[in-house]
Amino acid sequence: MRDAFQKHKYLLRTYLLFLSCYSLLSFFRHFSLQSGVYDLGLFTQWSYLSGIGEFWTPSSLTEFIKPALGDHFSLLLIPIGQLFRLLPSAYTLLFLQSAGLALLATLFLRELFQSFSSRHSRRMITIGLLLNPFLMNSSLNDFHPEVAFAFLGLAALIYLRRKKYLVSVVFLMMFVASKEAMAFFAIGYSLYSLLRRHVWLSAAVMGFALYYFAFSSSIVDAYQSYASTRYGHLGDGYVDILASPFIRPAHFWSAFVNRDSFLYLLGLLTPFVALYRWPQVIPAVVAVIPLVFANILSESDVMRSPIYQYQIPVLIFLMVAALDSAKCTISPYSSTFSLARIRLYLVLSVISFSMLTQWSFFPTRYLQHWRLAPSLFEYGREYSSPRISVWAHERIASHFSGRRQIFYREKDLLDKDFDILITPAIQPAAAPSNLLEKLRNFVFSYGDADEFMESENILKVARSRGYKCHGLRIVVCKKY
């Protein structure tokens, strides 16, 4: 009983550690003017619109093209919208995502630690997971529902491994509701269950995944065809793309087998490879193939970049591969992995973190605008009412997006009148004031160019339209 209490106490501390790390870093990034219209600004506005029941009202940030459910048919925006009504702030979304990522990490550790008795080993594995570049990058990459609710995908696979099928399928369907492309995750789930000899479950989930993707993508395609924008080089439409290995094999395999694909796979496997055992990893590795193929074959580089959220569904199966490897221990009281293997895992985690995480942004970008951030934070509170019409500079529009309409393009200044126009002032490149800044600038080649140069033209247009502007670092313009 005491051991169980200590284990739960350790997991609670671990969850709070991950939550604090992810939330504070993502808050600091947003506070430092580093979040963007795509995607935090969009999801902030979509959350507001969903909260008032306007799921099909197009976002003004997309020039009135995409509504909330027309982007990726994320049904989870509906409950997110209700939460946003209670706490209308972009920080609410960032905290929600941080809490979800922390829960994803803690669920993985809880399952893995069932095979460990050594507290020292647990600590090393926890530190290694905290340094996982894909988790860290996703917490710093604005907001995405499939990242915030990725723990549902892991929970679905965990309960499948426990043979609690109904609970597993409920979690799976909830996760698929985060984004239409998570139907590929469901296909992976189907393959995983097939290799674990759950044939009927596999067939049912495969049928559901294919039907759901066909249904949801038909809605999304009315606003943007991802088949043509990301896979158009392989064919016209999803059916033609799926047939391309047979119709155009040379073209298909040249897109798959290349140096970039090798580096991508190497980066994915490096953090967890020391925890893998053969052949226990086979079901999860086979299951992740549809997701990996979708990323590798995309014409969009962002789907292979460790910076963006597309690696999170892949990461879930890589975690399960480690859990399956841990299950092959002979005794529940023995350590699954040797201390040398765990140390190698920690070393590889450090290497992956240093190579794939944008850690250099902290001493450069994230500290770049700290003088601007406090006044922007105050203006964000002062003009938070959705009844105020706002035009905001692209770099700060996400701070004011909790409203039915918000604009950031210069052409809108000529077409519409706004209650508030807000933009950073031109920030001249300042000479370093101390040795630490000089060293930083030397290492990162930072601080050489003026920023927000377009603000001069923005303010010129605003004054010509009759706005009166004031402010030194953040300029606010109003019509009196």
Side-chain angles (χ1 to χ4, degrees):
M1 188 74 173
R2 182 171 178 175
D3 289 343
F5 174 77
Q6 290 295 331
K7 184 180 293 186
H8 284 92
K9 187 177 178 181
Y10 178 80
L11 288 172
L12 177 60
R13 289 200 303 264
T14 301
Y15 177 78
L16 294 176
L17 170 65
F18 279 85
L19 176 61
S20 300
C21 178
Y22 294 149
S23 58
L24 290 176
L25 291 178
S26 62
F27 285 4
F28 181 53
R29 179 180 182 271
H30 180 55
F31 185 75
S32 302
L33 284 69
Q34 298 306 310
S35 56
V37 169
Y38 294 91
D39 291 304
L40 186 58
L42 278 174
F43 278 107
T44 301
Q45 187 179 36
W46 280 331
S47 297
Y48 171 81
L49 293 171
S50 298
I52 60 175
E54 298 186 11
F55 315 114
W56 300 105
T57 299
S59 165
S60 59
L61 294 172
T62 63
E63 296 193 272
F64 298 100
I65 295 174
K66 283 188 180 183
L69 296 185
D71 179 46
H72 281 292
F73 199 64
S74 177
L75 296 174
L76 292 186
L77 279 174
I78 297 174
I80 290 173
Q82 298 309 308
L83 176 63
F84 193 86
R85 288 187 68 181
L86 299 175
L87 299 167
S89 170
Y91 290 100
T92 301
L93 301 184
L94 294 175
F95 182 81
L96 178 65
Q97 179 166 270
S98 299
L101 282 171
L103 187 53
L104 173 68
T106 307
L107 279 175
F108 169 69
L109 293 175
R110 186 193 69 175
E111 292 297 303
L112 190 66
F113 288 169
Q114 292 178 7
S115 304
F116 284 87
S117 56
S118 168
R119 185 176 298 179
H120 181 59
S121 297
R122 292 178 182 177
R123 286 175 178 168
M124 285 196 292
I125 290 175
T126 301
I127 293 171
L129 190 62
L130 188 63
L131 294 176
N132 185 279
F134 304 108
L135 290 172
M136 185 66 72
N137 286 339
S138 294
S139 74
L140 295 172
N141 184 28
D142 287 356
F143 173 83
H144 301 88
E146 73 274 20
V147 174
F149 292 96
F151 67 90
L152 295 172
L154 180 60
L157 292 168
I158 287 174
Y159 280 101
L160 174 61
R161 296 170 75 248
R162 295 178 182 176
K163 299 183 179 179
K164 295 183 178 180
Y165 306 121
L166 180 59
V167 178
S168 175
V169 169
V170 169
F171 278 126
L172 175 66
M173 293 178 69
M174 291 172 64
F175 183 49
V176 171
S178 67
K179 186 177 183 179
E180 101 284 5
M182 290 307 99
F184 281 86
F185 181 90
I187 292 172
Y189 176 104
S190 173
L191 295 175
Y192 183 76
S193 57
L194 177 64
L195 291 172
R196 293 178 70 90
R197 298 189 176 93
H198 307 306
V199 178
W200 291 108
L201 176 64
S202 173
V205 171
M206 181 66 75
F208 161 75
L210 295 176
Y211 173 79
Y212 186 86
F213 184 73
F215 169 76
S216 57
S217 62
S218 68
I219 295 174
V220 172
D221 283 352
Y223 304 97
Q224 179 180 350
S225 173
Y226 287 98
S228 60
T229 58
R230 296 187 176 175
Y231 303 99
H233 60 296
L234 296 177
D236 299 324
Y238 288 112
V239 175
D240 193 32
I241 292 167
L242 290 173
S244 62
F246 311 101
I247 300 173
R248 296 172 291 274
H251 191 60
F252 175 88
W253 290 109
S254 64
F256 181 77
V257 182
N258 52 59
R259 175 179 174 274
D260 291 340
S261 298
F262 172 76
L263 293 176
Y264 169 69
L265 293 172
L266 181 64
L268 280 176
L269 292 172
T270 297
F272 286 113
V273 70
L275 300 182
Y276 290 162
R277 290 180 186 270
W278 187 269
Q280 283 76 18
V281 299
I282 290 177
V285 169
V286 171
V288 82
I289 289 175
L291 288 164
V292 170
F293 264 64
N295 289 345
I296 286 179
L297 295 175
S298 172
E299 204 167 18
S300 174
D301 292 339
V302 298
M303 292 187 69
R304 292 179 294 279
S305 171
I307 298 171
Y308 298 100
Q309 75 280 3
Y310 299 98
Q311 313 318 321
I312 286 295
V314 175
L315 185 68
I316 294 172
F317 282 107
L318 298 182
M319 287 177 164
V320 172
L323 297 180
D324 288 344
S325 298
K327 274 295 180 182
C328 65
T329 181
I330 298 174
S331 166
Y333 302 103
S334 64
S335 179
T336 301
F337 302 116
S338 67
L339 190 58
R341 186 184 284 257
I342 295 173
R343 285 172 177 166
L344 176 60
Y345 161 77
L346 183 57
V347 169
L348 292 177
S349 296
V350 172
I351 293 173
S352 298
F353 181 86
S354 62
M355 297 292 290
L356 302 177
T357 306
Q358 298 185 42
W359 59 270
S360 63
F361 284 2
F362 284 89
T364 55
R365 288 189 184 181
Y366 296 171
L367 291 177
Q368 188 173 351
H369 304 305
W370 66 272
R371 293 181 179 87
L372 306 180
S375 55
L376 177 63
F377 184 75
E378 289 301 318
Y379 286 135
R381 293 176 56 190
E382 184 177 350
Y383 304 123
S384 61
S385 171
R387 292 186 294 271
I388 300 174
S389 61
V390 176
W391 185 98
H393 188 282
E394 182 176 3
R395 290 282 291 277
I396 61 176
S398 59
H399 292 258
F400 302 90
S401 297
R403 60 196 73 237
R404 182 176 278 103
Q405 292 184 13
I406 182 170
F407 299 86
Y408 72 95
R409 294 178 174 86
E410 289 189 39
K411 67 176 184 177
D412 294 317
L413 294 174
L414 300 172
D415 299 335
K416 302 174 180 65
D417 288 324
F418 302 95
D419 296 326
I420 296 296
L421 187 153
I422 186 163
T423 183
I426 297 174
Q427 188 178 23
S433 59
N434 55 54
L435 181 61
L436 184 60
E437 287 187 354
K438 290 179 181 178
L439 179 61
R440 180 198 66 182
N441 292 357
F442 174 77
V443 173
F444 295 104
S445 301
Y446 162 74
D448 299 324
D450 293 349
E451 280 207 284
F452 307 121
M453 294 296 294
E454 68 277 12
S455 294
E456 182 177 2
N457 187 58
I458 290 169
L459 295 176
K460 186 184 297 183
V461 172
R463 292 186 177 107
S464 70
R465 295 290 311 278
Y467 290 90
K468 304 295 183 183
C469 304
H470 68 277
L472 296 177
R473 297 186 176 119
I474 301 292
V475 180
V476 175
C477 302
K478 302 178 183 179
K479 281 189 176 181
Y480 294 93

